Amino acid sequence: MRTSTVRRASVRRASTAVALAASAVLAAAVPAFAHVTVQPGTATQGAWTAVAFRVPDESDTASTTRLEVNLPTDHPVASVSIQPVPGWTATAEKSKLATPLKTDDGDEITEAVTKITWTADATGKIGPGQFQDFKVSLGPLPTDTDRLVFKALQTYDDGTVVRWIEESKDGQAEPQHPAPTLALTKADAGTSADAHGMTASPAAPVAAAAAEPSDDDPTARTLGVIGLVVGVVGAALGVLGLRRRPSA
């Protein structure tokens, strides 16, 4: 009787440990697919690239109807093109630059796009459990910084506004509402200037603009988390089976 009681207590403790471990893993995974992000997350300095602002709807009852993305004014991008999204209207706002951008031909660019706003019609809302990509072509990317931070505001049809504006700091925990960030890497020796006298990668801007965003998206990360949880549960059940096997 005592042996049976001890075994039941061991099973309860192990089950509790498995549940806590699974909950912790899932809780840690939630921010990974709830954020507004840039896809892909990296690009080359001086090159042209196509990115998508990936917007998941994390409300249980409300739909996303508006997205505002602010482009950095301290590291402006000379050329910005927006790919149409069915059910959405895009508006680009330009601002005067404090320091004009110069091309290799000696021309000066005195204003650049500093804000893009997408607004949904009745058919374009992002419903609960859904996401939408908003694609933009950018170039040439600045060469004097290792990242571009795009502060974004996500508006729901119940009036809620989520401000994705917090900048991540190296060596610190990720903030609750991080701003979408595009990491910039150094150009290799094959980088050259394009027909407009602006720095671009050999295949840019045509190939870069046609590139699809990375598949390293929230769905893939979520499936990976689920696999990890299943592995934890399986290992725990295996341990329980060994502990419950009667001794010879």
Side-chain angles (χ1 to χ4, degrees):
M1 178 65 71
R2 178 178 176 79
T3 300
S4 177
T5 301
V6 171
R7 287 178 177 174
R8 285 197 297 270
S10 298
V11 170
R12 285 196 297 269
R13 286 195 297 269
S15 299
T16 301
V18 170
L20 290 174
S23 299
V25 172
L26 291 175
V30 169
F33 59 81
H35 298 167
V36 173
T37 58
V38 177
Q39 301 290 335
T42 60
T44 304
Q45 292 178 347
W48 292 70
T49 190
V51 300
F53 294 99
R54 181 157 295 174
V55 182
D57 188 286
E58 57 181 345
S59 172
D60 294 330
T61 57
S63 298
T64 299
T65 58
R66 190 172 186 268
L67 174 69
E68 176 185 312
V69 174
N70 294 275
L71 281 66
T73 56
D74 53 346
H75 300 289
V77 179
S79 177
V80 178
S81 300
I82 306 168
Q83 180 171 308
V85 179
W88 293 77
T89 300
T91 303
E93 297 182 26
K94 290 186 175 183
S95 300
K96 287 286 186 180
L97 300 179
T99 302
L101 296 174
K102 291 186 177 181
T103 68
D104 290 346
D105 293 332
D107 297 330
E108 287 191 346
I109 298 175
T110 59
E111 62 179 15
V113 174
T114 54
K115 181 191 295 186
I116 306 174
T117 303
W118 287 269
T119 305
D121 60 23
T123 66
K125 297 180 180 181
I126 308 171
Q130 300 177 344
F131 76 92
Q132 178 65 57
D133 282 346
F134 298 89
K135 299 180 181 179
V136 178
S137 174
L138 305 170
L141 299 175
T143 58
D144 57 350
T145 182
D146 61 359
R147 70 182 66 182
L148 290 178
V149 178
F150 303 91
K151 296 185 177 182
L153 276 65
Q154 180 181 8
T155 303
Y156 290 84
D157 57 10
D158 64 356
T160 301
V161 178
V162 182
R163 301 170 62 84
W164 303 100
I165 62 173
E166 299 173 3
E167 295 191 36
S168 300
K169 304 295 184 181
D170 294 336
Q172 298 183 12
E174 186 177 58
Q176 185 177 1
H177 296 98
T181 301
L182 179 66
L184 300 180
T185 59
K186 294 289 185 181
D188 58 28
T191 300
S192 60
D194 69 3
H196 301 287
M198 296 181 178
T199 304
S201 59
V206 177
E212 288 295 327
S214 170
D215 288 333
D216 181 20
D217 59 19
T219 302
R221 289 195 294 270
T222 302
L223 292 176
V225 170
I226 294 174
L228 178 60
V229 172
V230 172
V232 171
V233 173
L237 292 178
V239 172
L240 288 177
L242 291 175
R243 296 186 63 175
R244 295 179 64 180
R245 181 179 299 171
S247 57

